[in-house]
Amino acid sequence: MGELTMRERSAAEEAAGPAYWRESDEQMPGLSELRLDELLERAAAAAPDREALVFLRDDGPARRWTYAELTERVDAAARALLASGAGRGSVVAICAANRPEFVFLQLACSRIGAAMVPMNPGYSGAELADILRRSHAQLCFSIGRDRGNDLWATLAEVAAELPELRLRIALDPESGHDTEWEGWLRGAAAIDDAAYAAVRAEARPEDVVQIQFTSGTTGRPKGVRLRSAAFANVGRCTAGRAELEEGCRYVHAMPYFHVGGTIAIALCLASSGTQLTMPRFSPAAMAAAIDGEAATAIHAVPTMMIAVADRAQRDGLGFSALRTVITGGALVPEQTARHWVDTYGVAISNIYGMTETAGPVLQTGPTDPLERALVTVGRPLPGAEVDIVGVGTEQRVAMGEEGEIRFRGWGLMEGYEGDAETTAATVSADGWLRSGDLGRLSPDGYLQVTGRAKDMIIRGGQNIAPVAVEDAIREHVPEVADVSVIGVPDDYYGEAVVAYVLAHPGARIEESELRERLRGRIANYRIPAHVRVVSEFPTTPSGKIQKFRLQEWFSADEGTRKPETTGGDDAPTRSGPGRDPR
């Protein structure tokens, strides 16, 4: 894939000036003029009897709400929030795996100008306490247990140290609680129509309606303050670029405690579509939902696409209604993309953005050549700006040259909660957000992400981009379903290249053969010194591979191995048979 990009470069790139692109907003008028909940109003007016939300439970039949019914639930939740003392500027937390109350509360917060703090139920007590304290949450909704974790007991313990946390609402009736969800909803009757209308009239598109605490894979999570209009715009622009039809049926398992979950809400509302969501990702459940619910679109990151395709093949599912796969987090391996296109006749729309931009900033469209989705993350969405600067500088590089990717536009966060210093270090005075990613911009506005500035492997003074090695392995070792390359400490070179690979079902991957196939394809110093075969990758809730976990696996694994000299490179390396080090 890297070779394709090189061939696409031309003399035009040399003369195209600095690496900058702004997409016209003419195709999406009224950006930043709508709140997230106003997308619900529009959809409910257009199709009140259409299914709006389908919750595909793993312990019983699906629960379903039409647009008219969803509006009633959202209004009830908004009134109940007001009755509980919340209002514009208040902060409401929720700790749960995916469930419908997430949707009701997020839209209710947008109705009244409050902010929701979605929390991963897998957090430890210390992490929950830290987020509740830093966000100044006044109400907290929670399930009782998640995978053996007694959340209610944990929250009861930390609540004693949080005087601002006035009320804890149990989403499961059997939990110990201050009050439970249905009983809490009955408080809505205390807010009359006039009082409710007055509060709604004060809500603004610029209100912060979500404080999204990032996963913290590189340190303490940061609270990203996201505006209502940003989500409304993301929904409209992403649905438009993906060419989702009105009334689409959209299956996803994106966690609502991640920004991807709110994106799913927004783009379904923007297309007056049906959102079909599951408690958590399961290849079997997603494959069955796509087929059984006649899904026309899905959101699945590459690791999910691989797992769902394997399951569908085993179960003989045809996905006959499916038209569009929206993906992101990493480029789709070519073999995986072509399987979906050739087998199911779908179009692939690749998205790219950050929590700090409320999600997607760039996206490929279904009518783009497939190679665009395989090599690039698309063009900026309407009204968004992208440029490429030298790492650590604000000087734009030339079009086609590699540098750090920056964003500016309507999706930009208000800032990090309670952290003006980090906000100032991340966002320039003129509104440019540094991504930390490396990339190249083409003269027609398509962006290729080439890696993370901090992920660069420096081996014997030579820079190695992990994505370049990953692309070569995918291209030349067809037995590989997915791959992630990291750098690890090495006594001789400073760092060594390690490839973690996932094999297709029934395939075998031998380290020596993989290395041999790469010889002559990439420089010798880029060929992995170590190869580890795994049954699955450690991922974030949104499906991104956690490279820091792979480094931990490698360190733990090396402690059990004897160094071996394998030869074949310009100095000895240590190696051994690949295995899953968990």
Side-chain angles (χ1 to χ4, degrees):
M1 287 187 284
E3 292 178 2
L4 175 64
T5 302
M6 289 295 292
R7 289 198 301 269
E8 287 181 338
R9 293 183 198 162
S10 65
E13 287 183 320
E14 299 297 327
Y20 167 81
W21 189 272
R22 183 185 190 279
E23 193 75 7
S24 169
D25 56 6
E26 292 179 1
Q27 57 191 293
M28 195 64 64
L31 288 173
S32 300
E33 294 178 4
L34 288 177
R35 303 188 311 269
L36 175 61
D37 65 290
E38 288 178 311
L39 295 183
L40 172 61
E41 290 180 23
R42 290 185 170 197
D49 298 325
R50 179 179 296 153
E51 283 186 333
L53 177 64
V54 178
F55 183 60
L56 302 165
R57 295 190 295 175
D58 51 15
D59 59 353
R63 299 173 65 190
R64 301 171 186 270
W65 293 265
T66 66
Y67 270 101
E69 292 166 340
L70 176 58
T71 300
E72 290 177 1
R73 297 295 281 184
V74 169
D75 284 332
R79 290 177 187 248
L81 286 172
L82 294 173
S84 300
R88 191 173 182 215
S90 295
V91 178
V92 177
I94 180 170
C95 184
N98 280 7
R99 53 188 302 146
E101 291 88 352
F102 258 109
V103 180
F104 305 152
L105 283 169
Q106 183 60 80
L107 292 169
C109 284
S110 180
R111 280 271 205 254
I112 67 173
M116 189 169 87
V117 179
M119 297 190 297
N120 186 337
Y123 282 156
S124 68
E127 289 169 320
L128 291 174
D130 180 57
I131 289 172
L132 290 168
R133 181 181 298 107
R134 286 198 282 148
S135 66
H136 306 283
Q138 297 150 332
L139 282 72
C140 183
F141 298 79
S142 178
I143 56 175
R145 289 182 172 274
D146 183 78
R147 300 183 180 184
N149 185 11
D150 190 341
L151 286 167
W152 198 256
T154 300
L155 285 169
E157 183 178 339
V158 302
E161 305 171 5
L162 302 169
E164 290 180 277
L165 185 60
R166 300 194 309 266
L167 185 65
R168 293 166 293 144
I169 301 96
L171 299 175
D172 298 324
E174 68 273 14
S175 302
H177 49 70
D178 294 341
T179 186
E180 48 83 27
W181 172 261
E182 291 298 334
W184 174 79
L185 273 183
R186 288 193 285 272
I191 306 300
D192 62 33
D193 291 346
Y196 184 44
V199 173
R200 287 186 59 181
E202 291 298 314
R204 295 288 181 268
E206 62 269 19
D207 288 339
V208 171
V209 296
Q210 190 175 106
I211 306 174
Q212 179 70 239
F213 280 81
T214 56
S215 61
T217 55
T218 58
R220 188 189 190 196
K222 300 184 288 290
V224 183
R225 295 174 57 83
L226 299 169
R227 299 177 175 90
S228 191
F231 284 124
N233 291 342
V234 160
R236 295 172 66 204
C237 293
T238 303
R241 182 66 61 81
E243 300 179 21
L244 297 184
E245 74 281 5
E246 183 181 355
C248 70
R249 294 181 65 80
Y250 184 86
V251 171
H252 77 95
M254 298 305 293
Y256 288 131
F257 53 75
H258 181 273
V259 71
T262 311
I263 295 164
I265 296 171
L267 68 83
C268 285
L269 295 177
S271 55
S272 302
T274 302
Q275 181 189 176
L276 298 114
T277 187
M278 293 171 282
R280 51 178 53 89
F281 173 68
S282 155
M286 178 169 272
I290 296 168
D291 210 59
E293 292 285 347
T296 61
I298 65 168
H299 187 133
V301 300
T303 51
M304 294 177 180
M305 292 175 66
I306 292 166
V308 170
D310 287 341
R311 184 67 194 212
Q313 195 166 22
R314 277 189 284 166
D315 294 347
L317 302 179
F319 300 164
S320 58
L322 193 62
R323 302 175 188 172
T324 308
V325 176
I326 297 178
T327 187
L331 289 178
V332 184
E334 182 171 359
Q335 188 175 16
T336 300
R338 294 199 182 278
H339 174 80
W340 279 82
V341 172
D342 295 341
T343 305
Y344 308 117
V346 302
I348 292 178
S349 180
N350 201 20
I351 60 175
Y352 169 73
M354 302 172 64
T355 301
E356 286 85 346
T357 58
V361 178
L362 300 101
Q363 185 177 2
T364 61
T367 55
D368 287 338
L370 178 60
E371 285 72 19
R372 291 294 194 187
L374 296 176
V375 176
T376 81
V377 292
R379 303 188 327 276
L381 293 173
E385 295 177 89
V386 174
D387 74 355
I388 309 293
V389 297
V391 176
T393 78
E394 295 189 2
Q395 184 67 39
R396 286 176 182 155
V397 302
M399 191 69 79
E401 288 188 8
E402 185 180 69
E404 185 176 4
I405 304 164
R406 298 194 308 175
F407 308 117
R408 186 166 67 177
W410 43 256
L412 190 65
M413 65 176 179
E414 184 183 84
Y416 294 118
E417 177 69 30
D419 196 344
E421 183 178 347
T422 303
T423 301
T426 307
V427 182
S428 67
D430 55 350
W432 284 99
L433 172 74
R434 305 193 80 95
S435 70
D437 284 340
L438 300 173
R440 295 186 180 95
L441 193 63
S442 69
D444 53 356
Y446 286 85
L447 177 70
Q448 179 191 15
V449 179
T450 57
R452 289 284 294 174
K454 67 178 182 179
D455 286 344
M456 190 69 71
I457 301 168
I458 304 176
R459 177 189 183 274
Q462 294 171 306
N463 290 349
I464 302 171
V467 69
V469 183
E470 291 164 356
D471 286 348
I473 291 173
R474 290 189 182 106
E475 181 177 358
H476 300 296
V477 190
E479 294 86 354
V480 170
D482 204 1
V483 56
S484 186
V485 169
I486 61 171
V488 298
D490 183 87
D491 293 340
Y492 188 87
Y493 287 111
E495 283 191 292
V497 180
V498 181
Y500 276 85
V501 296
L502 175 71
H504 284 292
R508 287 181 58 82
I509 297 174
E510 297 293 340
E511 175 176 1
S512 58
E513 185 177 356
L514 182 148
R515 288 162 55 85
E516 190 60 35
R517 290 194 203 177
L518 295 178
R519 295 193 188 282
R521 311 281 187 175
I522 58 175
N524 276 355
Y525 69 86
R526 296 176 187 266
I527 294 175
H530 312 271
V531 177
R532 302 288 185 265
V533 180
V534 295
S535 58
E536 62 180 346
F537 287 109
T539 62
T540 66
S542 61
K544 293 182 180 179
I545 296 173
Q546 295 174 308
K547 293 200 173 191
F548 79 98
R549 289 281 307 280
L550 296 179
Q551 289 167 331
E552 292 173 356
W553 285 6
F554 186 86
S555 296
D557 193 33
E558 282 300 281
T560 67
R561 293 175 182 263
K562 288 184 177 181
E564 294 182 12
T565 299
T566 62
D569 276 338
D570 45 355
T573 58
R574 293 186 299 277
S575 185
R579 67 175 180 86
D580 187 336
R582 293 166 299 162

